[in-house]
Amino acid sequence: MTFKTTLKSSFAALLLVGATIAMSATAARADAIDDITKAGVINVGVFADFPPFSSASADMTLKGYDIDVAQALADALKVKLKTVSVTGQNRIPYLTEHRVDLLMSVGYSKEREQVLDFAAPYAPYYIAVIGPKALEIKNKDDLAGKSIAVNRGTLEDTSLTAAAPASADVKRFDNYNAVIQAFISGQTQLMVVGNDVGAQVLARQEALAPEQKFQLLTSPSHIALNKKEDRLKQAVNDAVAKMLADGSLNKSSEAWLKTPLNPANLKD
């Protein structure tokens, strides 16, 4: 065997060893459960200013529906919870680059499914018609002749426009604060908002006694994780199923969303 042949053989062997190491590293990285257990910590990406799902409390720690669920997941895995503040722009890269293990409050879409995996729905997100208890509204036909506040150009706006009878007086505003103010001041009889915005109104306007009348659209939130993390996905699904069964998910809904959890709202 010549020196050249020996060199080629050695180089090929090094490539094989390198490939084997890389594959082993990938295999190790692919099993997030082992990594989380070894670290003793699960890193969960959350929006830091997204009440009532997640926001800073008086002691500056994050509280909310998402935090309750994230803590339950950490408890199920017997590790500490570390919340990581993310934005709409950076949260998917944070997940795919393994800076976080999970993402809370992710809506399902076919586009996202190309790069992410989705655990079972855990949080309701829906667009609802809200009005005072004294005003009887049961369905879209009852919107006839009613004045309704909505945020211009949003999904709420398009959903309401598609559902409202021609005689409905739809008043469009440029932000949610204006929508809420129009409703609570009596400028409009009803408002159409997502349940995240609606929860704040339901909690604070005791004299008006607002309530959800009916829903225009439902799109539940999922916990997102990286693809091929089957053990982690199963652990998340098991923890959410346990919260549903023991009533703790409903307790969080009543505490943060100000309404009992309707399991029908956890269906895509």
Side-chain angles (χ1 to χ4, degrees), residues 48 55-63 83:
S55 60
S57 60
D59 63 3
M60 299 310 294
T61 60
L62 293 178
K63 303 290 186 183
T83 57

Side-chain angles (χ1 to χ4, degrees), residues 5-236:
T5 303
T6 302
L7 188 62
K8 284 183 176 180
S9 298
S10 299
F11 184 65
L14 286 172
L15 285 177
L16 181 60
V17 170
T20 301
I21 292 173
M23 289 174 65
S24 298
T26 300
R29 175 66 263 175
D31 197 337
I33 285 283
D34 288 342
D35 294 335
I36 292 166
T37 302
K38 183 177 179 180
V41 175
I42 185 166
N43 297 300
V44 180
V46 298
F47 292 124
D49 187 18
F50 185 42
F53 292 94
S54 176
S55 60
S57 60
D59 63 3
M60 299 310 294
T61 60
L62 293 178
K63 303 290 186 183
Y65 187 100
D66 278 2
I67 307 305
D68 286 356
V69 176
Q71 185 62 62
L73 297 176
D75 293 344
L77 294 172
K78 296 180 171 60
V79 296
K80 293 181 179 179
L81 170 65
K82 180 181 179 182
T83 57
V84 179
S85 179
V86 297
T87 67
Q89 290 71 42
N90 69 22
R91 63 177 181 160
I92 291 178
Y94 267 40
L95 180 63
T96 57
E97 293 167 8
H98 303 285
R99 298 175 69 174
V100 298
D101 303 299
L102 301 170
L103 290 175
M104 307 299 291
S105 287
V106 182
Y108 172 81
S109 72
K110 291 183 178 179
E111 293 75 20
R112 286 174 175 167
E113 194 177 33
Q114 294 179 16
V115 293
L116 307 175
D117 199 0
F118 292 87
Y122 76 99
Y125 179 77
Y126 51 84
I127 294 169
V129 176
I130 292 179
K133 188 174 183 179
L135 182 62
E136 186 172 353
I137 301 289
K138 294 182 178 180
N139 53 51
K140 64 181 182 180
D141 293 334
D142 292 335
L143 299 179
K146 303 297 189 299
S147 57
I148 312 162
V150 70
N151 195 350
R152 188 190 320 274
T154 61
L155 185 58
E156 292 98 318
D157 188 357
T158 56
S159 298
L160 174 60
T161 301
S167 64
D169 180 15
V170 178
K171 296 184 181 295
R172 295 175 173 85
F173 298 87
D174 292 330
N175 56 66
Y176 288 112
N177 285 336
V179 170
I180 293 170
Q181 186 58 37
F183 171 62
I184 64 177
S185 68
Q187 185 179 345
T188 64
Q189 297 166 283
L190 303 164
M191 70 174 184
V192 169
V193 293
N195 63 311
D196 51 344
V197 175
Q200 301 175 55
V201 179
L202 296 178
R204 298 174 184 172
Q205 299 299 320
E206 295 182 6
L208 188 61
E211 63 181 10
Q212 295 175 8
K213 299 299 185 180
F214 67 94
Q215 295 175 22
L216 292 173
L217 178 147
T218 298
S219 179
S221 293
H222 294 252
I223 297 170
L225 64 161
N226 282 306
K227 287 185 174 294
K228 299 182 180 179
E229 300 286 11
D230 294 339
R231 290 176 64 206
L232 180 58
K233 182 176 180 178
Q234 187 61 55
V236 171

